[in-house]
Amino acid sequence: MDNIAVPLNKLAELSFAYAALYLLFVLLATITVMNMLIGVLCEVVSAVAAVENETLTVTFVKNKLQCVLNKLDEDGSGTISKEEFKKVLESREAVEALHDVGVDVEGITEFADFLFADEEDTSRSKDLSFPDFMNIILQFRGTNNATVKDIVEFHKFVKLKLEQTTSELRELRALVPSLKEMLLRESQQ
């Protein structure tokens, strides 16, 4: 309401109690709106602070890991191989930096085969660029929830590994009769 004087004057002509009640209502409404706006402002400030803190922490970890990787990059390719990754996890400062950002280091070591598996041939491992490596590493933070994409990727990995194992078993099965025959011949001699 822009002008509260007009209704206030009309209510005052009727009764002083009506005017006082009207002023109390306007005061409470104003305080309520002010508190809501302060609450929204505080929420926005805390959200921005959390995002900035997260950005600073991630940048710190990226810089720390970049330094460690530069020291351990054996072939000078600028990419991270599975072997170089295992050496990174042996570095105390890298492990501390990962812990600072909330990364589950034990979980990463268990999934090293999965992280570096080649999509076409799971028996081979691939090298990762530093940005890809950091994206994967930051997915292992305890604050992250599993997404459908994560489950689909894991399903593809398991399916490829299963197909590879099945293929190897078929090859072994094909060799069994010839091995059996060879053993029989040797036992008869």
Side-chain angles (χ1 to χ4, degrees):
M1 222 189 262
D2 293 335
N3 189 3
I4 64 167
V6 174
L8 182 62
N9 288 335
K10 288 183 182 178
L11 288 172
E13 289 173 6
L14 292 173
S15 168
F16 178 74
Y18 288 154
L21 195 59
Y22 178 70
L23 283 176
L24 181 65
F25 170 75
V26 169
L27 177 69
L28 289 176
T30 304
I31 290 173
T32 302
V33 169
M34 183 181 65
N35 281 339
M36 286 177 20
L37 291 175
I38 289 172
V40 168
L41 183 63
C42 289
E43 197 63 35
V44 168
V45 168
S46 68
V48 169
V51 168
E52 288 296 319
N53 188 27
E54 177 73 13
T55 303
L56 286 173
T57 305
V58 168
T59 302
F60 169 75
V61 170
K62 281 184 179 181
N63 291 338
K64 186 76 82 172
L65 285 179
Q66 186 71 55
C67 289
V68 171
L69 287 171
N70 288 340
K71 291 176 191 173
L72 297 175
D73 192 10
E74 296 170 347
D75 56 1
S77 65
T79 59
I80 297 107
S81 67
K82 187 175 171 182
E83 291 74 30
E84 291 171 338
F85 172 69
K86 289 179 181 177
K87 288 181 181 175
V88 166
L89 294 180
E90 293 171 2
S91 165
R92 189 175 72 80
E93 83 178 301
V95 170
E96 286 176 1
L98 291 171
H99 275 291
D100 288 345
V101 80
V103 172
D104 180 14
V105 178
E106 292 80 23
I108 292 174
T109 52
E110 292 173 7
F111 282 99
D113 291 335
F114 173 69
L115 299 177
F116 291 93
D118 191 356
E119 284 85 17
E120 285 80 39
D121 184 7
T122 55
S123 63
R124 295 184 314 161
S125 64
K126 66 178 178 180
D127 292 351
L128 296 172
S129 67
F130 185 72
D132 291 341
F133 174 73
M134 282 308 300
N135 287 338
I136 290 172
I137 291 298
L138 292 176
Q139 290 175 359
F140 278 88
R141 292 187 296 176
T143 57
N144 292 350
N145 295 325
T147 63
V148 173
K149 179 185 173 202
D150 297 332
I151 294 170
V152 168
E153 286 178 4
F154 188 68
H155 178 263
K156 283 197 290 189
F157 175 77
V158 170
K159 185 177 178 184
L160 286 172
K161 277 291 198 184
L162 189 62
E163 288 173 357
Q164 178 185 359
T165 304
T166 303
S167 172
E168 291 171 356
L169 283 174
R170 285 188 180 131
E171 290 173 12
L172 286 174
R173 186 180 287 165
L175 292 175
V176 167
S178 61
L179 286 172
K180 195 176 190 182
E181 186 177 307
M182 186 186 334
L183 288 172
L184 283 173
R185 268 190 268 147
E186 286 181 12
S187 66
Q188 290 174 356
Q189 292 177 355

